[in-house]
Amino acid sequence: MKVNHSSIQIIRFIIQALFMLGLVFSFMPKYGIVGKYLFFTILLFGVFFCGWVCPFGSLQDWMARLGRLLKLPHIRIPDRFQKYMQLSRYAFYVLGTAGISFALLNARGAFNHNLFAGKLTLIAGIVLGIFVVAALFIDRPFCNYFCTKGAYYGLFGVLRPFGIQRDDTKCIHCHLCDKKCPMNIKVENTSFVRHPNCINCTTCISVCPMKCIRYQLARGKQGLLPQSDKTKLHSKS
C-alpha cells in the first residue's frame, strides 16, 4: 500500500496539537508517564516522543514555520561547528547524572511542567522566551543543543531495528533531506539513520522528491556512508 508522504506530516501535526491541548487544559497524563511508556518503543522504533509528543518540541516546530511564513532569516549552523555543538546536550546529560544541575536552562521542563501550572519563575520565563524566539530562526534550538531528556532517549534508540532508510540507487543527491532535517542530521550520507539526535519527525521522508527514503525494517548495511557518497566526498576534498 502506497503512503501519501505529505499526509504523514498532517497526522503528526494533529497528534502534536492534541498533546499541546492536553498540556494547556490538563486532560492528558503527565508527560513523564507518557515518556516512560514510550521508552520501550524506543528500543524498537527510535525516538518518537520528541518528534510527535513533546509540546515544547512542537512549539519550536511551529515557531520555525512562523519564521518561514514571515520570511525571517533561517540560520543553519555550519557543519564544521554543528558536529561539535550537537554533543552539548550529551555533555549536559553526563554532568546532570554526575550531580551538576543546569535546571535554569531546562526550557522544556519550564514549558511542559511549570508554565501552565503557574510555577514559572521570572528567570525561567526569560530563558524559555529566549528559546522560543530563537526557534523563529534556528530549527529546534533547545532540542538540538540542550535537551538532556532527548539525549537520554536518543542513546537508547541507536540500535533500533526499525527506522528511516534511504535507497542510494534512487537518490539524486538534491540535499533536501539534509536541509530540512530540524535536527541537522546528514540523512543523505547514510543508508539507515542511526543518529541519536533523530526524532523520527519523518520530514526527510516527506520532502524527498524521489521517494527513496522510507521508514522500515533495517536492511543490509545500515548507518554507513554509501560508497557512491564516499567517492563524491573524496573527489571534493
Side-chain angles (χ1 to χ4, degrees), residues 1-130:
M1 181 179 69
K2 292 186 177 181
V3 178
N4 184 340
H5 292 162
S6 61
S7 66
I8 297 177
Q9 293 306 313
I10 296 174
I11 295 171
R12 177 171 167 254
F13 173 78
I14 292 173
I15 293 174
Q16 287 180 314
L18 286 174
F19 276 98
M20 181 67 80
L21 290 172
L23 174 66
V24 175
F25 296 105
S26 302
F27 62 80
M28 290 286 188
K30 292 183 178 180
Y31 290 92
I33 297 175
V34 175
K36 181 179 179 180
Y37 284 110
L38 288 179
F39 175 77
F40 296 101
T41 69
I42 293 173
L43 301 176
L44 288 175
F45 305 106
V47 181
F48 276 95
F49 178 84
C50 302
W52 293 67
V53 175
C54 179
F56 191 54
S58 301
L59 178 61
Q60 291 174 83
D61 283 343
W62 300 343
M63 293 300 291
R65 291 174 190 170
L66 177 61
R68 287 171 173 80
L69 183 65
L70 297 175
K71 300 187 184 301
L72 298 177
H74 180 233
I75 301 172
R76 194 80 172 181
I77 306 299
D79 293 343
R80 63 181 181 275
F81 300 124
Q82 172 64 21
K83 63 182 180 180
Y84 299 112
M85 290 177 63
Q86 68 184 359
L87 298 175
S88 60
R89 70 178 195 165
Y90 300 97
F92 284 124
Y93 173 71
V94 171
L95 291 173
T97 57
I100 302 175
S101 176
F102 292 89
L104 180 63
L105 296 176
N106 187 11
R108 181 193 63 83
F111 184 79
N112 288 3
H113 305 297
N114 297 337
L115 178 61
F116 298 100
K119 300 177 181 179
L120 188 68
T121 64
L122 176 61
I123 296 178
I126 292 173
V127 173
L128 175 60
I130 290 173

Side-chain angles (χ1 to χ4, degrees), residues 157-178:
V158 169
L159 298 178
R160 59 192 179 274
F162 290 89
I164 294 171
Q165 184 152 334
R166 184 182 65 89
D167 185 349
D168 189 49
T169 62
K170 298 179 181 178
C171 180
I172 59 174
H173 304 287
C174 63
H175 312 300
L176 268 178
C177 54
D178 293 349

Side-chain angles (χ1 to χ4, degrees), residues 106-154:
N106 187 11
R108 181 193 63 83
F111 184 79
N112 288 3
H113 305 297
N114 297 337
L115 178 61
F116 298 100
K119 300 177 181 179
L120 188 68
T121 64
L122 176 61
I123 296 178
I126 292 173
V127 173
L128 175 60
I130 290 173
F131 279 111
V132 171
V133 172
L136 288 167
F137 307 93
I138 303 173
D139 289 324
R140 287 193 174 229
F142 180 79
C143 302
N144 268 286
Y145 310 114
F146 294 93
C147 187
T148 55
K149 181 64 71 173
Y152 172 75
Y153 287 152

Side-chain angles (χ1 to χ4, degrees), residues 213-231:
I213 305 177
R214 297 178 180 274
Y215 186 88
Q216 61 185 33
L217 179 66
R219 298 176 182 175
K221 297 179 179 179
Q222 306 98 29
L224 302 176
L225 188 67
Q227 188 62 42
S228 59
D229 289 353
K230 290 179 181 177
T231 305

